[in-house]
Amino acid sequence: MKAQSSAIEPRTITPPGGLALGALGVLAFSLSLPATRLAVHELDPWFVAFGRAVGAAGLAAAYLWLTRAPRPTPRQWRRLSVAALGVVVGFPLFTSLALTTQTSAHGAVVITVLPAMTAVFAVLRAGERPPRAFWLAAVTGLLSVLAFVAATGATSGALSPADLFLLAAVVLCGLGYAEGGALSRELGGARTICWALLLALPATLPVTLVSATVHPPHGTAQSWTAFAYLTVVSMFLGFFAWYAGLARGGVARVGQIQLGQPVLTLLWSALLLGETVPPAALAVALLVLLCVILTQRTRTSPAQHPIQNELATARNN
């Protein structure tokens, strides 16, 4: 009976090293916005958003075949669909649309609220009951970003479409990070992003083909190099480290490493794109970073993980 019950338990991935892997993932993602800005300068944003997912899906299929990865269970497929919605479709699409008209530096400031959004989704799906200070800090950070984009996004002082796209990207990405990071405890970081890419292929491939037909892709070596980076690193290899880090060190804990991503993105934007980083952007970024730190410090102890609940139920049955 002992052997029988162990057979139904999915293997969990929990060795140490989560912070180091998370830092490697953040370094990879810090170039995503500048690379997207370079790519959409000459390539259609829909092609950039979905074409990189198609290319990464090809790499994912090769990886899964070479490693003889077992197929996910029906429950895991459902959770993979949530992760795919956030990181394979939502974030690439909305950032590509936003950066056709907005600068990478501006986008970095809006994306600063992503760590707090990731923590919020981690709290919600883990069943925690955080104190009021957590929500106060999270809302303060969000309002700071909204005030910044409202003041700088349009001459009328209203939110521009690009800002709305960026905010939608943040929400969906936070959801995809939290769900994928938790699922990586069962599948591993590499297999989680690989299966998510393949799951999204029936949606990403047709859109890519239509975009390439309507707007045949033509660009310089710079644009294609940026597109290649988005495909191989931002959409594929970066998630190997990031999801593994979230699984090993905890979504909320490792999510703190994202605090350095906006600063790195601002530096890349200035160095690679020659964009001006206004003092107001740095001030807002620092304020939001402070708010995110407070959300982490006020976070309560996590409740039992949903996976553990399911295993306990299986054992009792």
Side-chain angles (χ1 to χ4, degrees):
M1 293 298 294
K2 198 173 200 178
Q4 200 174 28
S5 62
S6 64
I8 64 174
E9 296 184 9
R11 295 180 59 188
T12 57
I13 313 297
T14 55
L19 292 178
L21 288 168
L24 185 60
V26 165
L27 179 61
F29 295 152
S30 67
L31 266 168
S32 295
L33 292 185
T36 301
R37 177 68 171 169
L38 286 172
V40 299
H41 181 66
E42 296 178 314
L43 302 174
D44 182 70
W46 290 85
F47 177 82
V48 172
F50 291 95
R52 62 178 169 180
V54 172
L59 298 174
Y63 175 86
L64 293 171
W65 181 75
L66 289 173
T67 59
R68 301 180 182 275
R71 290 181 178 274
T73 65
R75 179 185 60 81
Q76 290 170 339
W77 279 120
R78 290 192 294 270
R79 299 180 66 192
L80 281 166
S81 66
V82 177
L85 174 64
V87 302
V88 178
V89 177
F91 186 80
L93 173 60
F94 287 118
T95 53
S96 295
L97 292 175
L99 294 179
T100 58
T101 58
Q102 193 52 268
T103 65
S104 173
H106 182 96
V109 178
V110 181
I111 298 300
T112 305
V113 80
L114 179 57
M117 191 61 63
T118 303
V120 167
F121 278 115
V123 166
L124 291 176
R125 73 176 307 277
E128 297 181 2
R129 295 295 181 269
R132 292 181 180 179
F134 177 95
W135 298 113
L136 179 62
V139 171
T140 300
L142 179 59
L143 292 178
S144 299
V145 172
L146 289 174
F148 173 79
V149 297
T152 61
T155 56
S156 62
L159 291 175
S160 69
D163 293 321
L164 295 176
F165 288 147
L166 287 169
L167 291 174
V170 166
V171 173
L172 290 172
C173 190
L175 174 62
Y177 279 175
E179 190 67 31
L183 184 56
S184 294
R185 297 185 181 116
E186 298 177 58
L187 297 178
R191 283 182 289 167
T192 296
I193 187 58
C194 286
W195 286 119
L197 286 164
L198 290 181
L199 180 62
L201 191 60
T204 57
L205 181 58
V207 176
T208 302
L209 294 176
V210 170
S211 174
T213 302
V214 176
H215 301 286
H218 297 291
T220 62
Q222 187 180 57
S223 296
W224 284 111
T225 299
F227 180 80
Y229 182 90
L230 293 170
T231 300
V232 178
V233 180
S234 296
M235 194 83 268
F236 187 61
L237 293 179
F239 277 100
F240 279 42
W242 180 241
Y243 271 163
L246 293 176
R248 298 179 186 199
V251 174
R253 178 168 178 260
V254 175
Q256 295 181 64
I257 304 176
Q258 294 178 95
L259 299 175
Q261 183 172 332
V263 178
L264 289 173
T265 299
L266 288 173
L267 291 176
W268 292 129
S269 300
L271 292 174
L272 300 180
L273 304 177
E275 295 180 354
T276 301
V277 181
L282 290 174
V284 171
L286 291 175
L287 175 59
V288 176
L289 292 183
L290 175 60
C291 293
V292 174
I293 291 174
L294 292 176
T295 65
Q296 300 297 332
R297 290 186 176 276
T298 59
R299 191 175 62 87
T300 55
S301 300
Q304 189 178 33
H305 193 275
I307 297 172
Q308 297 173 340
N309 291 332
E310 293 177 13
L311 293 180
T313 303
R315 292 192 189 99
N316 293 334
N317 294 337

